[in-house]
């Protein structure tokens, strides 16, 4: 990207459509952020292992995973706040691995705001422009535009202590965006906020990203947050990227048991493959026979597998008499949750599954202790050969 690209206003930037900058293969444009073989060791600990990742310009990309899996370390290496042990970071096609943070075209927002307490809202937002020696009138114009965008117009003269947590984070966002970085890096920016405010700030972040049109890279452990904000998500586990995809792809086509269990609820059962035809697999699971779809191609008969079925894929009492993908089970409880009913089923001795029914679809008022038939489609039974979570699995 040429330096002229940095000189317009935020509003000019917003007017570039997402399609203009949607992707590398479509436009020949370099990825906004590219990681090649990126690793970080702290002593003997492999915090980040051999990450390969390409984030498109204008994309809202999220690194999602449990605490300690290496998300922040990865983001800090993109920002230049942490040096990789191995590998490279590219920003818009340029190797910046050895470039200081302030010379990179990225800006970072942290959970704890890190505002200057003695400066006003306006003073905080003007600060990066003063560092870049922008004339004050030009700076004021940019600061006022970005304060308007984050919904802080009218609060310019307040000091951070006179603001709520949500407002402080808006100031931090405005300060990070005012100098028009090419990518905004967000390290759990909403983690300190209460539930309601988080939801509001998520909406604001999404709107803000579409307004400013730049690449956002977010780190979070919150699946709902990742799903509601992201174009694509990279799921991390133990320093590795397990899978990258859209929320829909990750939810319905998880490639590993970890991804399947980390994203939403999934009922699991262990079994052994009886037969397999490409990705179509039939497995014996104690008293049940399950036909399903392998996430990793053909699996030889006799292989131990784990089968996962989402609660919403299970039908109750459907007219279905086949001896496969059917379980006669005991209803342990039914919980009404407004738009949904959650039924806990004992699918086989000691194996409890959840089943979600949208309200109104339930054919009868099922009380605990009753017997019913649960069925599901082969398309919805995912077969995994990995079992990194054996402890939790029945059979
Ligand atoms: P996450 O952001 O996913 O919670 P982090 O990237 O913060 O995870 O940390 C990954 C691993 O690296 C953790 O085990 C953490 O304890 C360790 N770690 C992070 N920073 C340091 C550091 N400066 N020194 C030593 N270990 C660290």
């Amino acid at each position: 990207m040429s330096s002229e690209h940095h000189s317009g206003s935020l509003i000019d930037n917003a007017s570039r459509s997402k399609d203009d900058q949607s992707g590398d293969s479509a436009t020949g444009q370099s990825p906004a952020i590219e990681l090649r073989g990126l690793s970080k060791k702290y002593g003997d600990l492999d915090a980040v292992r051999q990450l390969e990742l390409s984030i498109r310009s204008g994309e809202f990309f999220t690194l999602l995973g449990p605490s300690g899996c290496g998300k922040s370390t990865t983001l800090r290496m993109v920002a230049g706040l942490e040096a990789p042990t191995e590998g490279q970071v590219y920003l818009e096609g340029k190797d910046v691995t050895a470039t200081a943070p302030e010379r990179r075209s990225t800006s970072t927002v942290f959970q704890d705001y890190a505002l200057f307490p003695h400066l006003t809202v306006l003073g905080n937002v003007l600060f990066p422009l003063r560092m870049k020696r922008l004339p004050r009138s030009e700076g004021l114009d940019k600061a006022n535009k970005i304060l308007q965008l984050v919904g802080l117009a009218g609060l310019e003269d307040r000091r951070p202590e006179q603001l709520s947590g949500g407002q402080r984070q808006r100031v931090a966002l405005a300060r990070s965006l005012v100098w028009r970085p090419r990518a905004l890096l967000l390290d759990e920016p909403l983690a300190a906020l209460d539930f309601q405010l988080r939801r509001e700030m998520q909406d604001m972040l999404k709107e803000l990203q579409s307004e400013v049109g730049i690449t956002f890279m977010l780190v979070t452990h919150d699946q709902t947050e990742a799903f509601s904000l992201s174009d694509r998500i990279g799921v991390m586990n133990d320093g590795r990227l397990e899978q990258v995809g859209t929320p829909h792809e990750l939810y319905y086509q998880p490639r590993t048991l970890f991804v399947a269990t980390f994203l939403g609820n999934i009922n699991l059962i262990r079994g052994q493959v009886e037969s397999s035809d490409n990705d179509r697999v039939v497995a014996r699971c104690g008293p049940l026979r399950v036909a399903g779809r392998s996430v990793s191609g053909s699996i030889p008969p006799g292989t131990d597998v784990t089968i996962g079925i989402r609660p919403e894929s299970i039908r109750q009492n459907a007219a279905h008499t086949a001896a496969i993908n059917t379980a006669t089970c005991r209803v342990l409880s039914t919980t009404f949750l407004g738009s949904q009913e959650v039924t806990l089923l004992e699918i086989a001795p000691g194996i409890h599954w959840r089943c979600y029914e949208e309200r109104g679809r339930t054919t009868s008022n099922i009380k605990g202790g009753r017997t019913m038939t649960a069925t599901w489609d082969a398309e919805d039974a995912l077969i995994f050969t990995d079992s990194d979570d054996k402890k939790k699995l029945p059979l």
Side-chain angles (χ1 to χ4, degrees), residues 42 45 47-48 65-74 82 187-188 219:
Y42 293 111
L45 177 82
V48 175
S67 179
C69 71
K71 307 179 294 293
S72 288
T73 303
T74 304
E82 202 76 68
D187 193 352
E188 300 263 8
V219 156

Side-chain angles (χ1 to χ4, degrees), residues 19-269:
D19 289 344
D20 292 343
Q21 40 178 317
S22 60
D24 331 318
S25 53
T27 61
Q29 204 175 16
S30 298
I33 300 169
E34 194 178 1
L35 312 182
R36 294 193 195 160
L38 197 69
S39 299
K40 179 71 184 179
K41 267 180 176 284
Y42 293 111
D44 289 342
L45 177 82
D46 286 302
V48 175
R49 304 167 195 246
Q50 292 289 320
L51 249 56
E52 299 284 337
L53 177 64
S54 185
I55 301 178
R56 295 190 279 269
S57 179
E59 193 170 24
F60 199 127
F61 188 92
T62 298
L63 281 181
L64 173 69
S67 179
C69 71
K71 307 179 294 293
S72 288
T73 303
T74 304
L75 198 81
R76 291 170 64 80
M77 289 193 279
V78 176
L81 301 168
E82 202 76 68
T85 311
E86 266 179 53
Q88 293 86 35
V89 175
Y90 287 79
L91 296 176
E92 296 181 326
K94 191 167 156 255
D95 184 348
V96 296
T97 316
T99 306
E102 64 278 9
R103 298 184 62 83
R104 298 189 184 194
S105 53
T106 53
S107 196
T108 312
V109 176
F110 300 98
Q111 181 182 330
D112 63 1
Y113 326 128
L115 299 178
F116 300 114
H118 58 289
L119 293 181
T120 61
V121 166
L122 185 63
N124 267 283
V125 176
L126 281 173
F127 187 81
L129 302 179
R130 275 179 33 212
M131 291 293 100
K132 290 179 189 296
R133 304 195 185 287
L134 206 74
R136 187 169 164 79
S137 61
E138 209 179 308
L140 274 176
D141 188 44
K142 283 183 188 295
N144 285 326
K145 274 182 182 149
I146 191 70
L147 282 169
Q148 185 94 34
L149 268 184
V150 299
L152 285 179
L155 300 182
E156 294 82 353
D157 297 329
R158 294 228 188 139
R159 287 183 195 281
E161 82 226 14
Q162 299 170 307
L163 299 173
S164 70
Q167 288 168 333
R168 285 181 207 178
Q169 197 52 294
R170 286 170 195 254
V171 179
L173 279 164
R175 187 182 58 182
S176 294
L177 285 169
V178 72
W179 61 275
R180 297 195 69 236
R182 301 293 304 152
L184 186 67
L185 311 177
L186 301 139
D187 193 352
E188 300 263 8
L190 310 183
L193 307 177
D194 66 38
F195 179 79
Q196 184 59 31
L197 197 53
R198 266 180 99 104
R199 294 287 167 268
E200 279 172 32
M201 291 290 283
Q202 284 167 9
D203 291 344
M204 197 273 296
L205 264 186
K206 188 81 183 155
E207 273 172 39
L208 190 61
Q209 200 248 352
S210 84
E211 286 286 337
V212 299
I214 63 168
T215 311
F216 276 31
M217 184 176 181
L218 170 78
V219 156
T220 184
H221 62 273
D222 180 339
Q223 184 222 319
T224 314
E225 186 162 297
F227 269 40
S228 64
L229 289 173
S230 318
D231 297 317
R232 284 190 310 152
I233 296 170
V235 181
M236 281 189 79
N237 178 27
D238 194 20
R240 290 191 181 83
L241 253 183
E242 291 253 337
Q243 190 173 350
V244 176
T246 63
H248 197 275
E249 282 165 355
L250 295 173
Y251 190 80
Y252 287 110
Q253 291 157 42
R255 281 209 297 266
T256 65
L257 194 54
F258 176 83
V259 173
T261 50
F262 192 72
L263 304 178
N265 265 304
I266 191 159
N267 297 305
L268 299 173
I269 191 165

